[in-house]
PDB file of all heavy atoms in Angstrom:
ATOM      1  N   MET N 124     -64.550  20.101 -11.421  1.00 99.00           N
ATOM      2  CA  MET N 124     -63.578  19.008 -11.254  1.00 99.00           C
ATOM      3  C   MET N 124     -64.161  17.956 -10.305  1.00 99.00           C
ATOM      4  O   MET N 124     -64.122  16.764 -10.581  1.00 99.00           O
ATOM      5  CB  MET N 124     -62.263  19.549 -10.677  1.00 99.00           C
ATOM      6  CG  MET N 124     -61.581  20.562 -11.569  1.00 99.00           C
ATOM      7  SD  MET N 124     -60.820  19.804 -13.016  1.00 99.00           S
ATOM      8  CE  MET N 124     -61.045  21.108 -14.225  1.00 99.00           C
ATOM      9  N   PHE N 125     -64.697  18.424  -9.179  1.00 99.00           N
ATOM     10  CA  PHE N 125     -65.342  17.520  -8.220  1.00 99.00           C
ATOM     11  C   PHE N 125     -66.551  16.845  -8.872  1.00 99.00           C
ATOM     12  O   PHE N 125     -66.690  15.615  -8.846  1.00 99.00           O
ATOM     13  CB  PHE N 125     -65.786  18.309  -6.980  1.00 99.00           C
ATOM     14  CG  PHE N 125     -66.510  17.469  -5.956  1.00 99.00           C
ATOM     15  CD1 PHE N 125     -65.804  16.823  -4.946  1.00 99.00           C
ATOM     16  CD2 PHE N 125     -67.888  17.323  -6.012  1.00 99.00           C
ATOM     17  CE1 PHE N 125     -66.468  16.037  -4.010  1.00 99.00           C
ATOM     18  CE2 PHE N 125     -68.556  16.532  -5.079  1.00 99.00           C
ATOM     19  CZ  PHE N 125     -67.845  15.886  -4.077  1.00 99.00           C
ATOM     20  N   ASN N 126     -67.406  17.665  -9.481  1.00 99.00           N
ATOM     21  CA  ASN N 126     -68.681  17.165 -10.011  1.00 99.00           C
ATOM     22  C   ASN N 126     -68.485  16.061 -11.041  1.00 99.00           C
ATOM     23  O   ASN N 126     -69.077  14.988 -10.935  1.00 99.00           O
ATOM     24  CB  ASN N 126     -69.465  18.320 -10.651  1.00 99.00           C
ATOM     25  CG  ASN N 126     -69.889  19.368  -9.638  1.00 99.00           C
ATOM     26  OD1 ASN N 126     -69.871  19.126  -8.428  1.00 99.00           O
ATOM     27  ND2 ASN N 126     -70.266  20.544 -10.125  1.00 99.00           N
ATOM     28  N   MET N 127     -67.648  16.317 -12.043  1.00 99.00           N
ATOM     29  CA  MET N 127     -67.481  15.347 -13.137  1.00 99.00           C
ATOM     30  C   MET N 127     -66.675  14.133 -12.686  1.00 99.00           C
ATOM     31  O   MET N 127     -67.001  12.997 -13.035  1.00 99.00           O
ATOM     32  CB  MET N 127     -66.779  15.990 -14.338  1.00 99.00           C
ATOM     33  CG  MET N 127     -67.656  16.747 -15.313  1.00 99.00           C
ATOM     34  SD  MET N 127     -69.095  15.860 -15.952  1.00 99.00           S
ATOM     35  CE  MET N 127     -68.418  14.262 -16.317  1.00 99.00           C
ATOM     36  N   THR N 128     -65.624  14.380 -11.908  1.00 99.00           N
ATOM     37  CA  THR N 128     -64.759  13.269 -11.498  1.00 99.00           C
ATOM     38  C   THR N 128     -65.511  12.301 -10.597  1.00 99.00           C
ATOM     39  O   THR N 128     -65.327  11.087 -10.675  1.00 99.00           O
ATOM     40  CB  THR N 128     -63.482  13.806 -10.831  1.00 99.00           C
ATOM     41  OG1 THR N 128     -62.891  14.782 -11.709  1.00 99.00           O
ATOM     42  CG2 THR N 128     -62.480  12.688 -10.566  1.00 99.00           C
ATOM     43  N   LYS N 129     -66.388  12.840  -9.736  1.00 99.00           N
ATOM     44  CA  LYS N 129     -67.233  11.999  -8.880  1.00 99.00           C
ATOM     45  C   LYS N 129     -68.043  10.999  -9.696  1.00 99.00           C
ATOM     46  O   LYS N 129     -68.255   9.867  -9.268  1.00 99.00           O
ATOM     47  CB  LYS N 129     -68.197  12.882  -8.065  1.00 99.00           C
ATOM     48  CG  LYS N 129     -67.667  13.254  -6.713  1.00 99.00           C
ATOM     49  CD  LYS N 129     -67.730  12.063  -5.747  1.00 99.00           C
ATOM     50  CE  LYS N 129     -67.191  12.425  -4.386  1.00 99.00           C
ATOM     51  NZ  LYS N 129     -67.109  11.244  -3.501  1.00 99.00           N
ATOM     52  N   GLN N 130     -68.518  11.430 -10.860  1.00 99.00           N
ATOM     53  CA  GLN N 130     -69.367  10.547 -11.678  1.00 99.00           C
ATOM     54  C   GLN N 130     -68.580   9.357 -12.212  1.00 99.00           C
ATOM     55  O   GLN N 130     -69.069   8.243 -12.254  1.00 99.00           O
ATOM     56  CB  GLN N 130     -69.991  11.325 -12.856  1.00 99.00           C
ATOM     57  CG  GLN N 130     -70.692  12.621 -12.492  1.00 99.00           C
ATOM     58  CD  GLN N 130     -71.668  12.473 -11.340  1.00 99.00           C
ATOM     59  OE1 GLN N 130     -72.352  11.447 -11.202  1.00 99.00           O
ATOM     60  NE2 GLN N 130     -71.746  13.489 -10.501  1.00 99.00           N
ATOM     61  N   VAL N 131     -67.330   9.595 -12.630  1.00 99.00           N
ATOM     62  CA  VAL N 131     -66.588   8.553 -13.366  1.00 99.00           C
ATOM     63  C   VAL N 131     -65.760   7.640 -12.473  1.00 99.00           C
ATOM     64  O   VAL N 131     -65.380   6.549 -12.891  1.00 99.00           O
ATOM     65  CB  VAL N 131     -65.635   9.169 -14.425  1.00 99.00           C
ATOM     66  CG1 VAL N 131     -66.397  10.117 -15.354  1.00 99.00           C
ATOM     67  CG2 VAL N 131     -64.443   9.877 -13.802  1.00 99.00           C
ATOM     68  N   VAL N 132     -65.440   8.084 -11.257  1.00 98.00           N
ATOM     69  CA  VAL N 132     -64.380   7.415 -10.503  1.00 98.00           C
ATOM     70  C   VAL N 132     -64.754   5.987 -10.101  1.00 98.00           C
ATOM     71  O   VAL N 132     -63.907   5.084 -10.131  1.00 98.00           O
ATOM     72  CB  VAL N 132     -63.930   8.279  -9.301  1.00 98.00           C
ATOM     73  CG1 VAL N 132     -64.946   8.261  -8.163  1.00 98.00           C
ATOM     74  CG2 VAL N 132     -62.561   7.843  -8.804  1.00 98.00           C
ATOM     75  N   GLU N 133     -66.015   5.762  -9.762  1.00 98.00           N
ATOM     76  CA  GLU N 133     -66.426   4.426  -9.347  1.00 98.00           C
ATOM     77  C   GLU N 133     -66.208   3.401 -10.467  1.00 98.00           C
ATOM     78  O   GLU N 133     -65.650   2.319 -10.235  1.00 98.00           O
ATOM     79  CB  GLU N 133     -67.897   4.441  -8.909  1.00 98.00           C
ATOM     80  CG  GLU N 133     -68.353   3.150  -8.261  1.00 98.00           C
ATOM     81  CD  GLU N 133     -69.858   2.948  -8.389  1.00 98.00           C
ATOM     82  OE1 GLU N 133     -70.605   3.746  -7.789  1.00 98.00           O
ATOM     83  OE2 GLU N 133     -70.260   2.005  -9.101  1.00 98.00           O
ATOM     84  N   GLY N 134     -66.625   3.754 -11.669  1.00 98.00           N
ATOM     85  CA  GLY N 134     -66.452   2.851 -12.819  1.00 98.00           C
ATOM     86  C   GLY N 134     -64.987   2.592 -13.125  1.00 98.00           C
ATOM     87  O   GLY N 134     -64.595   1.472 -13.486  1.00 98.00           O
ATOM     88  N   MET N 135     -64.170   3.606 -12.976  1.00 98.00           N
ATOM     89  CA  MET N 135     -62.731   3.448 -13.225  1.00 98.00           C
ATOM     90  C   MET N 135     -62.094   2.517 -12.194  1.00 98.00           C
ATOM     91  O   MET N 135     -61.294   1.651 -12.533  1.00 98.00           O
ATOM     92  CB  MET N 135     -62.025   4.809 -13.223  1.00 98.00           C
ATOM     93  CG  MET N 135     -62.315   5.659 -14.450  1.00 98.00           C
ATOM     94  SD  MET N 135     -61.414   7.225 -14.385  1.00 98.00           S
ATOM     95  CE  MET N 135     -61.850   7.914 -15.999  1.00 98.00           C
ATOM     96  N   ILE N 136     -62.452   2.684 -10.935  1.00 98.00           N
ATOM     97  CA  ILE N 136     -61.910   1.838  -9.862  1.00 98.00           C
ATOM     98  C   ILE N 136     -62.328   0.387 -10.106  1.00 98.00           C
ATOM     99  O   ILE N 136     -61.516  -0.532 -10.020  1.00 98.00           O
ATOM    100  CB  ILE N 136     -62.380   2.336  -8.472  1.00 98.00           C
ATOM    101  CG1 ILE N 136     -61.688   3.658  -8.124  1.00 98.00           C
ATOM    102  CG2 ILE N 136     -62.117   1.277  -7.396  1.00 98.00           C
ATOM    103  CD1 ILE N 136     -62.209   4.355  -6.875  1.00 98.00           C
ATOM    104  N   ARG N 137     -63.583   0.193 -10.453  1.00 98.00           N
ATOM    105  CA  ARG N 137     -64.126  -1.149 -10.691  1.00 98.00           C
ATOM    106  C   ARG N 137     -63.335  -1.863 -11.788  1.00 98.00           C
ATOM    107  O   ARG N 137     -63.066  -3.050 -11.719  1.00 98.00           O
ATOM    108  CB  ARG N 137     -65.610  -1.039 -11.071  1.00 98.00           C
ATOM    109  CG  ARG N 137     -66.297  -2.356 -11.270  1.00 98.00           C
ATOM    110  CD  ARG N 137     -67.830  -2.269 -11.461  1.00 98.00           C
ATOM    111  NE  ARG N 137     -68.390  -0.963 -11.646  1.00 98.00           N
ATOM    112  CZ  ARG N 137     -68.679  -0.435 -12.846  1.00 98.00           C
ATOM    113  NH1 ARG N 137     -68.438  -1.104 -13.954  1.00 98.00           N
ATOM    114  NH2 ARG N 137     -69.208   0.771 -12.914  1.00 98.00           N
ATOM    115  N   ARG N 138     -62.937  -1.123 -12.823  1.00 98.00           N
ATOM    116  CA  ARG N 138     -62.259  -1.733 -13.973  1.00 98.00           C
ATOM    117  C   ARG N 138     -60.729  -1.629 -13.886  1.00 98.00           C
ATOM    118  O   ARG N 138     -60.020  -2.064 -14.775  1.00 98.00           O
ATOM    119  CB  ARG N 138     -62.769  -1.086 -15.263  1.00 98.00           C
ATOM    120  CG  ARG N 138     -64.277  -1.283 -15.417  1.00 98.00           C
ATOM    121  CD  ARG N 138     -64.807  -0.692 -16.684  1.00 98.00           C
ATOM    122  NE  ARG N 138     -64.421  -1.440 -17.869  1.00 98.00           N
ATOM    123  CZ  ARG N 138     -63.564  -1.038 -18.777  1.00 98.00           C
ATOM    124  NH1 ARG N 138     -62.960   0.133 -18.648  1.00 98.00           N
ATOM    125  NH2 ARG N 138     -63.284  -1.777 -19.826  1.00 98.00           N
ATOM    126  N   ASN N 139     -60.253  -1.021 -12.778  1.00 98.00           N
ATOM    127  CA  ASN N 139     -58.818  -0.863 -12.581  1.00 98.00           C
ATOM    128  C   ASN N 139     -58.141  -0.193 -13.783  1.00 98.00           C
ATOM    129  O   ASN N 139     -57.081  -0.591 -14.250  1.00 98.00           O
ATOM    130  CB  ASN N 139     -58.158  -2.228 -12.306  1.00 98.00           C
ATOM    131  CG  ASN N 139     -56.815  -2.075 -11.620  1.00 98.00           C
ATOM    132  OD1 ASN N 139     -56.698  -1.323 -10.654  1.00 98.00           O
ATOM    133  ND2 ASN N 139     -55.793  -2.754 -12.126  1.00 98.00           N
ATOM    134  N   TYR N 140     -58.771   0.874 -14.268  1.00 98.00           N
ATOM    135  CA  TYR N 140     -58.218   1.619 -15.404  1.00 98.00           C
ATOM    136  C   TYR N 140     -58.839   3.011 -15.462  1.00 98.00           C
ATOM    137  O   TYR N 140     -60.067   3.147 -15.363  1.00 98.00           O
ATOM    138  CB  TYR N 140     -58.498   0.905 -16.740  1.00 98.00           C
ATOM    139  CG  TYR N 140     -57.824   1.602 -17.898  1.00 98.00           C
ATOM    140  CD1 TYR N 140     -56.553   1.235 -18.308  1.00 98.00           C
ATOM    141  CD2 TYR N 140     -58.452   2.672 -18.552  1.00 98.00           C
ATOM    142  CE1 TYR N 140     -55.912   1.904 -19.333  1.00 98.00           C
ATOM    143  CE2 TYR N 140     -57.814   3.353 -19.579  1.00 98.00           C
ATOM    144  CZ  TYR N 140     -56.553   2.958 -19.970  1.00 98.00           C
ATOM    145  OH  TYR N 140     -55.912   3.627 -20.982  1.00 98.00           O
ATOM    146  N   GLY N 141     -58.024   4.011 -15.677  1.00 98.00           N
ATOM    147  CA  GLY N 141     -58.573   5.346 -15.874  1.00 98.00           C
ATOM    148  C   GLY N 141     -57.525   6.376 -16.257  1.00 98.00           C
ATOM    149  O   GLY N 141     -56.343   6.265 -15.903  1.00 98.00           O
ATOM    150  N   ARG N 142     -57.984   7.355 -17.010  1.00 98.00           N
ATOM    151  CA  ARG N 142     -57.159   8.498 -17.393  1.00 98.00           C
ATOM    152  C   ARG N 142     -57.988   9.752 -17.143  1.00 98.00           C
ATOM    153  O   ARG N 142     -59.029   9.939 -17.784  1.00 98.00           O
ATOM    154  CB  ARG N 142     -56.827   8.438 -18.888  1.00 98.00           C
ATOM    155  CG  ARG N 142     -55.964   7.266 -19.299  1.00 98.00           C
ATOM    156  CD  ARG N 142     -54.507   7.575 -19.036  1.00 98.00           C
ATOM    157  NE  ARG N 142     -53.640   6.518 -19.517  1.00 98.00           N
ATOM    158  CZ  ARG N 142     -53.369   5.409 -18.845  1.00 98.00           C
ATOM    159  NH1 ARG N 142     -53.918   5.198 -17.663  1.00 98.00           N
ATOM    160  NH2 ARG N 142     -52.556   4.508 -19.345  1.00 98.00           N
ATOM    161  N   ILE N 143     -57.530  10.590 -16.212  1.00 99.00           N
ATOM    162  CA  ILE N 143     -58.231  11.848 -15.927  1.00 99.00           C
ATOM    163  C   ILE N 143     -57.294  12.999 -16.275  1.00 99.00           C
ATOM    164  O   ILE N 143     -56.149  13.034 -15.799  1.00 99.00           O
ATOM    165  CB  ILE N 143     -58.688  11.911 -14.456  1.00 99.00           C
ATOM    166  CG1 ILE N 143     -59.659  10.755 -14.148  1.00 99.00           C
ATOM    167  CG2 ILE N 143     -59.342  13.262 -14.143  1.00 99.00           C
ATOM    168  CD1 ILE N 143     -60.009  10.589 -12.669  1.00 99.00           C
TER     169      ILE N 143
END
Side-chain angles (χ1 to χ4, degrees):
M124 298 287 147
F125 178 90
N126 295 344
M127 275 308 316
T128 308
K129 267 286 180 186
Q130 309 311 324
V131 306
V132 75
E133 189 205 294
M135 287 181 175
I136 289 172
R137 183 172 10 97
R138 300 181 72 251
N139 200 47
Y140 185 92
R142 295 278 185 277
I143 299 171

